[in-house]
Amino acid sequence: MIPELDLNEDERDLLAGARKFAQEVMLPRGKEAFESGEVPVDVLKQMAELGFQGIMAGEDWGGSGQSTRFYASLLEELSLADPTTATTLQVHVMVTDVYERFGTEAQKKEWLPRLTSGEILGAIAMTEPGAGSDLRNIRTTAVRDGDDYVINGQKTFITNTGTEISDGMIVLARTGEDDRGRGTFSVFIVPKDTPGFVKGQRLKKIGWKSMDTREIFFEDCRIPASNLVGEPERGL
């Protein structure tokens, strides 16, 4: 058991339930999934029924609006049983948070209820073969063309894009330069069926074997300008 932070009684009760689920469901299933390499979508669906996928989102969007402190405690408990599936959830919640903080009302209405309910799994594409921690080095571009943007480039080590409940991703792309010649960046929604969005093979890893991690390619991938998330050139 992980020492609990300063949680109230309701939060402690919720955490106790999560701990029970983690040990009884996630632990044995996580061992199986690690050996087989499959993504345990069945466990993710059970987690959604418990409200984990919407843990940080507001109630207006189907979430429970829990605190960051409680969410951190939850991730620790889940990670004790199955760190891979816990990290899959962490990526999903991060994406949900981006939509809620920066999305337009139309984007929120379209995506947040599906994310918080666990109907779909959230993914974010930032890392590239030559840019990981230093995101200013990314080379994937998004060029404005009338009412659209056209994305070209490659991403790697991208999580959650190839499961049966995945639906595209949000993508960080280079969209211009500032007055000092440095790249500027924007974030875009790319749904799974967008022409020019190509999923590469799953990557084989030493750990996190039951997580869907792969390369992604954008080949003249055209999306409407309304898929821009947040302010243009403020993607970082």
Side-chain angles (χ1 to χ4, degrees):
M1 180 184 299
I2 293 173
E4 295 178 1
L5 300 175
D6 184 19
L7 304 177
N8 61 41
E9 184 175 352
D10 288 341
E11 290 172 328
R12 288 195 295 271
D13 288 343
L14 288 171
L15 198 60
R19 184 178 303 129
K20 185 173 187 291
F21 171 79
Q23 294 301 313
E24 294 182 358
V25 176
M26 293 180 67
L27 181 59
R29 188 70 179 89
K31 290 179 178 179
E32 294 176 356
F34 183 86
E35 293 298 328
S36 67
E38 66 172 314
V39 178
V41 173
D42 56 322
V43 175
L44 292 170
K45 290 180 177 179
Q46 292 179 69
M47 292 166 72
E49 293 174 0
L50 294 171
F52 293 171
Q53 275 81 335
I55 198 74
M56 293 278 283
E59 294 181 3
D60 289 346
W61 306 111
S64 56
Q66 296 291 343
S67 67
T68 303
R69 181 177 54 196
F70 176 79
Y71 172 52
S73 297
L74 173 69
L75 279 182
E76 287 181 325
E77 291 292 351
L78 301 183
S79 296
L80 281 177
D82 181 2
T84 307
T85 305
T87 305
T88 297
L89 174 69
Q90 186 268 332
V91 172
H92 173 92
V93 172
M94 177 171 60
V95 172
T96 301
D97 191 53
V98 170
Y99 274 103
E100 187 166 26
R101 288 174 180 268
F102 303 109
T104 65
E105 285 301 304
Q107 290 168 350
K108 292 176 184 179
K109 288 178 181 178
E110 180 178 0
W111 292 96
L112 274 175
R114 300 171 67 207
L115 288 163
T116 60
S117 69
E119 176 187 343
I120 61 173
L121 190 59
I124 183 168
M126 296 186 292
T127 303
E128 298 184 1
S133 300
D134 183 6
L135 290 174
R136 285 195 174 275
N137 281 332
I138 68 170
R139 293 293 177 259
T140 295
T141 60
V143 178
R144 186 70 183 255
D145 182 21
D147 293 331
D148 298 330
Y149 280 91
V150 179
I151 304 176
N152 282 283
Q154 176 184 356
K155 301 288 184 178
T156 193
F157 302 126
I158 306 306
T159 302
N160 293 353
T161 59
T163 76
E164 65 187 69
I165 55 174
S166 298
D167 190 350
M169 70 204 81
I170 53 177
V171 178
L172 181 69
R174 180 182 291 261
T175 47
E177 292 186 350
D178 62 18
D179 54 7
R180 288 185 286 178
R182 301 184 307 173
T184 54
F185 307 88
S186 304
V187 174
F188 302 91
I189 302 167
V190 180
K192 63 180 179 181
D193 295 326
T194 306
F197 162 41
V198 181
K199 291 181 291 187
Q201 295 295 314
R202 275 186 68 179
L203 302 175
K204 294 182 179 180
K205 307 183 294 295
I206 296 173
W208 284 352
K209 292 183 179 180
S210 55
M211 175 188 291
D212 182 84
T213 311
R214 61 183 68 225
E215 292 182 311
I216 298 294
F217 303 91
F218 301 98
E219 300 172 352
D220 291 331
C221 180
R222 184 177 292 269
I223 57 170
S226 59
N227 283 24
L228 173 73
V229 180
E231 297 179 39
E233 318 303 333
R234 297 291 299 276
L236 290 183

